[in-house]
Each structure stands twice: as structure tokens, then as C-alpha cells.
Amino acid sequence: MNLAISGTYSVGKTLTTMAVSHLTGLPRSAAKTMRELLPISVPGKTLEECTAPEIIMLIMRRNQERAVNESHLPGGFVSDGSSLHEWCYGTVRVLVGINPNDSVNLENVEMTDEIRFFSEVMEQMGIPAKQHAKASYDSFVHLPIEFPLVEDGHRPVNERFRSLADEMLLKVLDELRIPVHIVGGTIPERLQKIMDIYDFTPQMSIDEAIARAQEDYAKIDTTSETDRAPVTAA
């Protein structure tokens, strides 16, 4: 099975995906984080400082790596996010800015010529993103917004942005008619629900899977993108 773990910022996608991978034996598929991509792509800039063209380039990089990684896992995988995520985030950013305020409504944004152009670009980028999702993922587990946004100085978004992105993801999944299960609760509760929904055979206990996932998560380099040395892209 090709299973995607869906959800917006700070809902626990990465830790949940790692735990599901250990629990089921499915390999985890993921793309480089923005922290890793920014020094390669736009050295010296934070995500908040990126222009719309640079954001589009970052989306392309992430989806390219995601597709390549998935192609190396013909026996199935559990994906940390999906091809829809980068496109969805980019669409919200281009339309309402990197930090939309609480009054922003996607349908009432002032459409300058520049915004209109990038809106059209994102609409076209959505075509292959949606086609990839439809062809590549058998099912989605969507994690709802249950916890406050982690203010780590890296995620340049607020609760309004999270809400807009969450709504867009669910709307697109419904339009594509890809099976999706909304799974909330604590990490153990999520894992038990996922095992029950898909009737997976556990490879270890839930507690052990979580412990291993926490070890994996602790190894993630959370160094700020501006503190990383510029890297030459391969």
C-alpha cells in the first residue's frame, strides 16, 4: 500500500509517519525540509523572505525529490505529506502572503497583475500535483488541527494560514475521490486507529514504534536555515 499522512503545519505528520513506518514495516518516504532546501536554493534567506518565484522553485524541488524517492519504493510506502502539500501551501502563500491575517478570505484577495499571474502559475502546477496524488497514493490519513502551532521561528505561518491550508487539502482530496480517513487523538490513539482502519499486521508494539520514532525524530537537524552553510546542489 502507498499511504500518505496528510495535514497542515504542526499536526505531528513527521512523528506519526515515522511511527507508522516502524509499526507496519512500510518504508517512510519524505522530501528534504525547507531548512535543508533553502541553503541550497536561496542561500541566506528564510522562508518568510522568499519571493513568489522562489517559493515556486522550492515547491518544484520538493515534489521532484518526493517523486524520485517514491519511485524507489515499488513495494509500498508511508509518505510524510504528499505532492498536494507543497502545491497547497504555495497556493495559500502566493494568494494571501506568507503571514495572512485573520481577516483574509481567499475569495476576496485583491488580484493585482502580479498576484493574478502567480495564481495562474500555481493553478497549472496543481495539475501534475493532483495527477501524481491520484496515481500514486492508495489512501490518505489526514491529521486534523488539534494542537497549537509550534512557534520555532521557522514556520512563518499563523493559525489562519493553517486553517486555510487544512481546508484546501481536504477539499482537494474530496475532489480527487481519494479515500481519506481523518484520524485524531494522541500518537498511540492515532496508531491504533490506523492499524484498525487498514488491518495492518503490527511488526512491533505501539509503544516500541513510538519510542523508535522519537529516536528518529531527535536526529533531525533543526539548525536554522540561515545558520547552515550554503551547499552546492547535486
Side-chain angles (χ1 to χ4, degrees), residues 167-214:
E167 292 170 9
M168 186 175 291
L169 281 168
L170 287 174
K171 180 181 178 182
V172 172
L173 288 172
D174 182 62
E175 290 174 353
L176 294 176
R177 299 188 181 278
I178 301 176
V180 57
H181 299 274
I182 298 177
V183 175
T186 64
I187 297 295
E189 290 170 344
R190 290 178 184 177
L191 295 180
Q192 188 59 63
K193 291 174 185 176
I194 291 169
M195 297 302 286
D196 292 342
I197 289 168
Y198 298 103
D199 197 25
F200 286 131
T201 300
Q203 303 301 302
M204 61 187 69
S205 71
I206 286 177
D207 287 344
E208 184 178 356
I210 292 173
R212 293 193 182 189
Q214 289 172 333

Side-chain angles (χ1 to χ4, degrees), residues 59-76:
I59 293 170
M60 184 177 69
R61 276 191 181 277
R62 289 204 81 192
N63 273 338
Q64 178 185 47
E65 182 177 7
R66 190 184 295 282
V68 169
N69 288 345
E70 292 172 359
S71 71
H72 294 166
L73 300 171

Side-chain angles (χ1 to χ4, degrees), residues 10 148-155 157 159:
S10 282
L149 181 68
V150 175
E151 297 185 6
D152 59 359
H154 171 70
R155 298 178 177 93
V157 297
E159 293 298 344

Side-chain angles (χ1 to χ4, degrees), residues 9 31-43 45-66 82-83 85-87 89-90 93 98 122 125 154 156 225:
Y9 288 103
K32 284 187 178 69
T33 65
M34 287 300 183
R35 284 191 180 94
E36 295 169 306
L37 285 177
L38 283 163
I40 296 172
S41 308
V42 280
K45 279 193 175 184
T46 65
L47 187 57
E48 188 171 14
E49 295 169 332
C50 289
T51 63
E54 288 167 342
I55 289 171
I56 290 171
M57 180 265 291
L58 289 165
I59 293 170
M60 184 177 69
R61 276 191 181 277
R62 289 204 81 192
N63 273 338
Q64 178 185 47
E65 182 177 7
R66 190 184 295 282
S82 74
S83 61
H85 283 70
E86 283 73 42
W87 165 76
Y89 294 160
R93 285 196 183 100
I98 206 74
M122 290 308 306
M125 290 183 70
H154 171 70
E225 54 268 33

Side-chain angles (χ1 to χ4, degrees), residues 7-47:
T8 186
Y9 288 103
S10 282
V11 295
K13 282 196 307 297
T14 295
L15 184 61
T16 299
T17 303
M18 289 173 169
V20 169
S21 176
H22 285 298
L23 188 57
T24 64
L26 288 170
R28 173 176 171 261
S29 177
K32 284 187 178 69
T33 65
M34 287 300 183
R35 284 191 180 94
E36 295 169 306
L37 285 177
L38 283 163
I40 296 172
S41 308
V42 280
K45 279 193 175 184
T46 65
L47 187 57

